[in-house]
Amino acid sequence: MKMSFILLGMNPTKPKAKGKLAGCTVFITGASRGIGKAIALKAAKDGANIVIAAKTAQAHPKLAGTIYTAAEEIKAAGGKALPCVVDVRDEQQISSAVEKAVEKFGGIDILVNNASAISLTNTLETPTKKVDLMMNINTRGTYLTSKACIPYLKKSKIAHILNLSPPLNLNPLWFKQHCAYTIAKYGMSMCVLGMAEEFKGEIAVNALWPKTDFLESDIHCSEAKMRVKKLLLQYFSNYMSRLIAIYTAAMDMLGGSGIESQCRKVDIMADAAYCIFKKPKSFTGNFIIDENILKEEGIKNFDVYAVTPGHPLLPDFFLDEQPVTVTKEPATHGALPELKEKEAQPPPKPRSGAVEGTFRIVKDSLSDDIVKATQAIYQFELSGEDGGTWFLDLKSKGGNVGHGEPSDRADVVMSMSTDDFVKMFSGKLKPTIAFMSGRLKIKGNMALAIKLEKLMNQMNARL
C-alpha cells in the first residue's frame, strides 16, 4: 500500500524526496557506530535528517567512528546530519541537542533510544558506580530523552519512539547472573509499556531486539564490559547453533579472531527498524524481534544478513531456550506478567560409573595430533555419585585422563555435577545453558577452554 506523510523539516525548493522517510527528522542516541549508525544510514538513504546524539567526539583507540565521521557517512548516503555531543545522563545535553534539531530541521519525527551500558556481573561483583551507570544510561537516559522529544513528536504525522530493548521476560535465569543489568535494560522496556499507553493515538512506542545478540553497539562500553563479553564469546562461539548475533564495529575487539563468522550484519536491525517506522501510530506497545518482523514483511532469505552464510550463529540474552517462559493473559491489561513453567521433571539419578566410562571413551579418542592442537590441561570438579576430581591432560605426549588432580597445574577448571558432565560430553546439554544457569562454572584460561569443544563434538556420537 502506498503511504504518504506530511513531513517536518522539508525544504519545498529541494528536489522531491526519494523514500518513505525523506525529510523526516530521526533523533538517534549512540549513533556514532554499530546498530545506531546502521539505522541512521538506512534512513539517510531515503533522504532523512539524522541527529547523531552520542558521546564520541574523539576517536576511540580501539573502536572506529565518531559523531563527525558518522555525519559524513550519513551525508554520503543521501541524508542530512546534525552531530551533537550528548551524554544521555546529562539532561541539559539532551535538551540542547533537541533544541538544535528543532531549530535546524523544524521538528522531530522519530526517536531511537539506542544508547546503553552493560556489566554482566552478579550482585556482589557489581560496583555501585556500575549500577548507577547502567540505571542512568539505560533507564533514566531513555526516559529523559523520550521526555524531551515527546512535545515535538506529538506534532509529527509519523511519530515513533523505538527503544532498543528486550521483551519483558521474568524468567529468573535472566536476573540470576546479572541482576543490575537486567533491571536497567528492562527499565527501557517498561518505558515502552507505559508510554505506549500514555500517548496512544499520538505516538507509536515500540521496542526492537535482535533474535540473539551479546553485543550492544553503544558508546558506553566499559573495559569490564569488553572483558566479560570477550570471555563469553571466546568460550561459547562454537556451541551456538541456529541462533543469532549482531556483528558490530565492536566485534573484533570483543570476540577475537574468527568470531565474526558466527554473526549477522547490523543491516538486519536497520531493516527491522525501517519496517517499524513505516507502520502507523496505531502500531504501538509491541516488543519486536528483528527476524520476526522481517519474516512478516516477506523476507525469506536471511543469508543476506550473515557475515558467513550457513555458519552457526551466536545467541542473545532474554529470549528463552529453556522451557520456562513468560506469558501474559490477554484480558488482564496492565497486570504483572505471570511466570509459567512446564511441570518439573525429577532430575535423573547419576549413573554409576558414567563419568569413568566417559573418560574411558575420551582416552580412547586421544592422539598426538589432538594434544599438539590443544596444549592444555583440564581439571573437572564433579559433584555427585562417581564424581570428585578428574583431569584431562592434553599437553603430555599422547594425552592422558584420570581420577584426581593432574601432575601439572590445570589451565582450566570446570565445576559441575556428574550428570551434567556426561550430558555435556554426549551433546544433551548446551554448555551455554549450563553456564548461564550456573550449572557450569569455569576458572582459568578461556581461550584454552574453547579448544575442548572439538573433542566434545567427537565424543557426542559415541556417548
Side-chain angles (χ1 to χ4, degrees):
M1 181 178 70
K2 187 176 180 181
M3 301 178 67
S4 60
F5 299 111
I6 299 174
L7 302 172
L8 298 177
M10 292 187 66
N11 187 334
T13 65
K14 296 282 184 180
K16 275 193 173 182
K18 57 184 178 182
K20 289 179 168 59
L21 299 183
C24 291
T25 298
V26 186
F27 192 106
I28 308 177
T29 65
S32 60
R33 60 174 68 97
I35 294 172
K37 189 178 77 171
I39 293 173
L41 291 173
K42 178 73 176 181
K45 290 177 182 177
D46 273 10
N49 309 315
I50 310 296
V51 183
I52 308 162
K55 279 178 62 180
T56 316
Q58 296 182 341
H60 189 281
K62 294 184 179 180
L63 293 175
T66 68
I67 58 175
Y68 305 111
T69 59
E72 292 304 315
E73 292 184 57
I74 288 165
K75 292 173 185 176
K80 295 180 181 179
L82 175 63
C84 297
V85 177
V86 176
D87 182 338
V88 295
R89 293 172 292 178
D90 189 322
E91 187 175 10
Q92 184 54 49
Q93 289 186 22
I94 296 170
S95 298
S96 176
V98 170
E99 290 172 6
K100 289 177 183 177
V102 173
E103 181 180 353
K104 184 175 179 66
F105 299 125
I108 296 175
D109 299 286
I110 297 169
L111 165 64
V112 180
N113 286 305
N114 169 65
S116 182
I118 181 172
S119 180
L120 300 178
T121 47
N122 62 36
T123 300
L124 296 179
E125 294 177 352
T126 308
T128 301
K129 66 178 182 179
K130 289 293 175 62
V131 176
D132 291 342
L133 180 73
M134 290 186 286
M135 300 299 177
N136 287 336
I137 291 176
N138 298 4
T139 302
R140 184 175 180 272
T142 294
Y143 184 90
L144 291 180
T145 306
S146 300
K147 181 181 178 182
C149 290
I150 282 170
Y152 304 100
L153 290 167
K154 291 173 74 172
K155 299 175 184 178
S156 170
K157 298 296 182 181
I158 301 171
H160 275 271
I161 295 176
L162 181 64
N163 293 352
L164 276 293
S165 63
L168 288 167
N169 183 347
L170 296 189
N171 184 343
L173 171 67
W174 304 117
F175 293 83
K176 178 180 179 181
Q177 302 294 343
H178 38 76
C179 186
Y181 170 64
T182 298
I183 292 171
K185 202 66 186 175
Y186 281 9
M188 297 176 70
S189 300
M190 292 174 76
C191 285
V192 171
L193 278 183
M195 293 178 186
E197 287 295 313
E198 184 176 359
F199 301 105
K200 184 175 287 186
E202 297 180 288
I203 304 170
V205 186
N206 297 287
L208 176 63
W209 195 245
K211 185 175 179 181
T212 60
D213 180 14
F214 280 132
L215 303 174
E216 295 183 56
S217 56
D218 55 81
I219 58 173
H220 307 285
C221 299
S222 67
E223 291 182 5
K225 167 186 173 180
M226 298 299 185
R227 289 196 299 269
V228 172
K229 284 190 173 182
K230 185 172 183 179
L231 294 179
L232 287 170
L233 288 169
Q234 282 179 331
Y235 186 65
F236 293 118
S237 60
N238 288 329
Y239 290 114
M240 304 302 108
S241 59
R242 71 182 178 79
L243 300 174
I244 303 161
I246 300 302
Y247 180 49
T248 71
M251 180 60 83
D252 290 336
M253 184 175 177
L254 297 177
S257 176
I259 197 75
E260 66 276 2
S261 297
Q262 291 139 43
C263 303
R264 281 180 173 168
K265 303 168 188 174
V266 289
D267 296 351
I268 190 171
M269 286 290 281
D271 288 354
Y274 186 81
C275 291
I276 296 168
F277 299 153
K278 293 189 299 179
K279 293 186 177 294
K281 294 179 183 180
S282 57
F283 184 80
T284 191
N286 300 289
F287 293 88
I288 302 150
I289 305 302
D290 57 355
E291 185 175 298
N292 294 349
I293 194 169
L294 291 173
K295 283 181 177 178
E296 291 174 6
E297 292 288 317
I299 302 296
K300 296 180 180 179
N301 179 18
F302 287 87
D303 280 349
V304 297
Y305 297 115
V307 174
T308 305
H311 202 285
L313 301 166
L314 288 166
D316 191 13
F317 296 116
F318 308 120
L319 304 179
D320 284 333
E321 284 300 302
Q322 301 231 59
V324 180
T325 58
V326 173
T327 60
K328 185 176 180 180
E329 294 294 335
T332 57
H333 224 31
L336 288 174
E338 177 186 356
L339 187 64
K340 195 170 185 178
E341 184 173 358
K342 289 185 179 180
E343 185 176 348
Q345 298 295 326
K349 294 182 179 180
R351 294 164 291 173
S352 178
V355 173
E356 184 177 1
T358 299
F359 276 113
R360 189 183 310 117
I361 295 173
V362 171
K363 185 174 183 179
D364 291 343
S365 302
L366 296 182
S367 67
D368 288 336
D369 289 340
I370 290 175
V371 172
K372 184 178 179 180
T374 310
Q375 286 296 292
I377 297 176
Y378 303 92
Q379 182 172 321
F380 301 89
E381 297 295 339
L382 306 180
S383 60
E385 186 177 344
D386 199 26
T389 300
W390 294 76
F391 70 88
L392 171 58
D393 182 351
L394 296 180
K395 278 186 178 178
S396 303
K397 182 176 176 60
N400 193 21
V401 303
H403 189 272
E405 295 187 2
S407 56
D408 293 328
R409 183 175 179 179
D411 299 292
V412 181
V413 178
M414 297 184 177
S415 302
M416 69 197 87
S417 71
T418 55
D419 192 58
D420 286 341
F421 171 84
V422 174
K423 286 181 178 178
M424 272 181 44
F425 268 84
S426 61
K428 296 176 182 177
L429 174 65
K430 293 181 180 180
T432 186
I433 296 298
F435 180 84
M436 294 175 68
S437 62
R439 293 161 68 179
L440 166 64
K441 291 181 171 54
I442 305 169
K443 293 181 180 179
N445 189 322
M446 290 291 184
L448 292 175
I450 192 173
K451 290 188 176 183
L452 187 61
E453 183 266 344
K454 292 182 180 180
L455 184 59
M456 291 174 69
N457 280 346
Q458 294 176 17
M459 298 303 101
N460 288 351
R462 303 181 60 184
L463 290 168

